[in-house]
Amino acid sequence: QFFDTNEGEMSVQQYFFHQYHMELKYPKLPLATERKGSSGFSFYPLEVLMIERGQRVDNRKLAGQLTDRMIQQARMLPFEMREHNRRQLEEGRLTNDENVYLHAFGVQAADNFITCEAKVLSAPEIKYKTDSLQPDRSGPMISWRLNPRIQFQRPATVNSVSVAVFDRAMSDQQALEFFQALARAGRARGMSVQDTCAKVVQLPSEVDEITEEHF
């Protein structure tokens, strides 16, 4: 992390050496962040911090947007996650007893990864009015090829639909347009769905009682 000073651009590592004559042992580890005001942040190396005892942790649920951001940060393909973990181990000097703190407590970080067997499950089969099946077993069994000319075996009649939007993720108009596209796909396959049967409801994701009351 770099920021501007009177001496020019400076990293957190350089700042601590310049200001406190302290050479950081682990300059590549993540930094603790403290919000200052509405737009400013302060950054601290983990090795200079101490945790005070008796702190209380807020046990309320995270807001929807914050949860989404956390998921996006952690979402990686398996091979990307493997390389990411290896890079973190190397940059944090967490292997081969390089970390004096882990070594002092007898903690070791393995650099090999657990492997397990997995398989891709086939998509559920849908039987259509012509007795055809999707997936049709002629290719990969992981997706449907939905031909709009094929009718469902027993097309449903939909009289009422509730579209729940959490944390203002989209506007009412966007939600209605999504439903209308879904309704068109259903009608093309024999279902009876009116564009006007949908009601959009904006709900907060962190209050379960409101969601349960609505449904």
Side-chain angles (χ1 to χ4, degrees):
Q1 181 67 40
F2 290 85
F3 55 94
D4 294 326
T5 67
N6 294 333
E7 288 78 19
E9 190 177 65
M10 185 178 296
S11 68
V12 173
Q13 179 186 11
Q14 293 168 334
Y15 174 80
F16 270 79
F17 182 79
H18 175 77
Q19 187 73 14
Y20 304 108
H21 307 289
M22 177 186 296
E23 184 71 44
L24 297 181
K25 294 181 179 180
Y26 309 103
K28 293 186 178 181
L29 284 179
L31 300 170
T33 305
E34 177 190 17
R35 181 182 292 276
K36 299 185 67 176
S38 59
S39 59
F41 292 91
S42 293
F43 300 93
Y44 304 96
L46 298 179
E47 62 189 84
V48 304
L49 301 178
M50 296 182 64
I51 299 176
E52 287 288 338
R53 292 185 177 182
Q55 295 189 71
R56 297 184 63 84
V57 179
D58 193 345
N59 60 3
R60 291 179 300 176
K61 290 186 177 180
L62 295 174
Q65 290 183 346
L66 183 56
T67 302
D68 291 342
R69 287 177 57 189
M70 292 179 63
I71 293 173
Q72 290 173 5
Q73 290 291 328
R75 185 171 55 201
M76 296 182 185
L77 294 173
F79 73 91
E80 293 175 337
M81 179 64 75
R82 182 179 62 247
E83 295 306 316
H84 172 77
N85 288 343
R86 283 177 174 163
R87 186 169 60 253
Q88 292 293 317
L89 287 171
E90 293 174 0
E91 293 181 353
R93 298 169 62 185
L94 300 178
T95 58
N96 301 322
D97 291 333
E98 293 184 63
N99 188 302
V100 294
Y101 300 106
L102 295 183
H103 180 69
F105 286 94
V107 177
Q108 293 182 330
D111 58 0
N112 58 323
F113 299 94
I114 297 174
T115 60
C116 63
E117 294 184 359
K119 65 179 180 179
V120 179
L121 298 177
S122 301
E125 289 185 342
I126 296 180
K127 186 175 183 180
Y128 291 91
K129 199 170 184 178
T130 57
D131 287 335
S132 64
L133 289 175
Q134 284 288 349
D136 60 8
R137 302 178 184 271
S138 63
M141 297 287 290
I142 59 175
S143 62
W144 300 308
R145 292 191 291 273
L146 297 181
N147 188 331
R149 292 174 295 180
I150 299 179
Q151 302 289 293
F152 288 137
Q153 178 80 357
R154 294 180 181 176
T157 297
V158 179
N159 297 316
S160 179
V161 173
S162 183
V163 181
V165 179
F166 293 98
D167 300 321
R168 294 285 175 183
M170 63 176 64
S171 67
D172 289 7
Q173 184 60 36
Q174 289 173 318
L176 285 174
E177 290 174 356
F178 163 78
F179 167 74
Q180 289 165 1
L182 194 63
R184 286 194 298 272
R187 287 195 296 269
R189 292 162 181 82
M191 295 177 63
S192 175
V193 189
Q194 299 298 321
D195 287 342
T196 57
C197 71
K199 177 183 178 182
V200 178
V201 181
Q202 299 284 349
L203 296 172
S205 63
E206 66 270 14
V207 185
D208 292 339
E209 292 79 6
I210 297 178
T211 305
E212 292 173 359
E213 180 181 348
H214 174 72
F215 290 104

